[in-house]
Amino acid sequence: MVRVSDSLLPQIAADLAVTVGAASIVVTAYGLAHGTVQLFGGEIGDRFGKYHSVAGLSAIAALATFLCGLALSLPELVVYRLLCGLAAGCVIPLAMAYIGDVVAYEQRQQVLGRYLTGQISGLLFGQVAGGVLGDLFGWRNVFAILAGIFAVVAAALFAERLLPPEGPELRLVA
């Protein structure tokens, strides 16, 4: 999500009838929002709960990302990328804080290491995937694919909370 639009800039520029330099504002808008909102992530997590915040922000990011693909002008796309950055910017630090809350100290470094490996891989893969998928399906569909991923993640997180907890107290009666 962070770097996906970099490789899509020529397509975005051509479709929206602007220069690539002008289209690059979508990268800046996302980056500024993504970085700035992290200053307030702790407050959001404390107020609404880290887990529920990650789930809710993923749902908001899904909607904002989907709207990116529907944007009819550069200013509209900038607003939606800004919203994407605001929603997605807190997900990583809140998820790390949640891991710190629920994973035993002895296992925490391993879990955080795997989590961050996934995050870094996504960061590296996102830029390449954006270009390849953009060439195959067009820039608008890249945002639709990302929106779908965010939606699946949000739905899975919400569903996880709706399921009864596993444990010895649960017994099936036949």
Side-chain angles (χ1 to χ4, degrees):
M1 188 64 179
V2 175
R3 307 298 320 179
V4 72
S5 60
D6 295 8
S7 54
L8 298 174
L9 289 177
Q11 291 181 31
I12 292 170
D15 190 41
L16 299 178
V18 298
T19 66
V20 173
S24 69
I25 189 70
V26 300
V27 174
T28 304
Y30 183 90
L32 285 174
H34 189 269
T36 303
V37 75
Q38 291 185 26
L39 298 172
F40 308 101
E43 291 179 26
I44 293 168
D46 289 344
R47 180 173 180 134
F48 301 105
K50 295 173 189 82
Y51 187 96
H52 290 103
S53 294
V54 169
L57 290 167
S58 293
I60 293 168
L63 176 61
T65 304
F66 184 74
L67 291 172
C68 286
L70 300 177
L72 299 176
S73 68
L74 183 59
E76 190 178 346
L77 181 57
V78 169
V79 168
Y80 296 143
R81 281 299 281 169
L82 187 71
L83 290 173
C84 289
L86 291 173
C90 287
V91 169
I92 294 171
L94 284 175
M96 288 177 61
Y98 178 76
I99 290 169
D101 289 348
V102 299
V103 176
Y105 180 78
E106 298 78 26
Q107 298 171 316
R108 194 172 302 152
Q109 291 305 313
Q110 293 169 334
V111 172
L112 284 170
R114 285 192 304 265
Y115 176 75
L116 290 173
T117 298
Q119 293 302 320
I120 292 167
S121 298
L123 183 65
L124 296 172
F125 181 69
Q127 194 169 19
V128 173
V132 171
L133 294 174
D135 285 345
L136 291 173
F137 305 113
W139 73 270
R140 293 179 184 278
N141 288 319
V142 172
F143 285 112
I145 292 166
L146 287 172
I149 293 169
F150 265 117
V152 167
V153 167
L157 290 170
F158 284 123
E160 172 75 20
R161 286 298 183 187
L162 296 175
L163 296 174
E166 295 180 28
E169 67 279 353
L170 295 177
R171 296 193 181 114
L172 296 176
V173 178

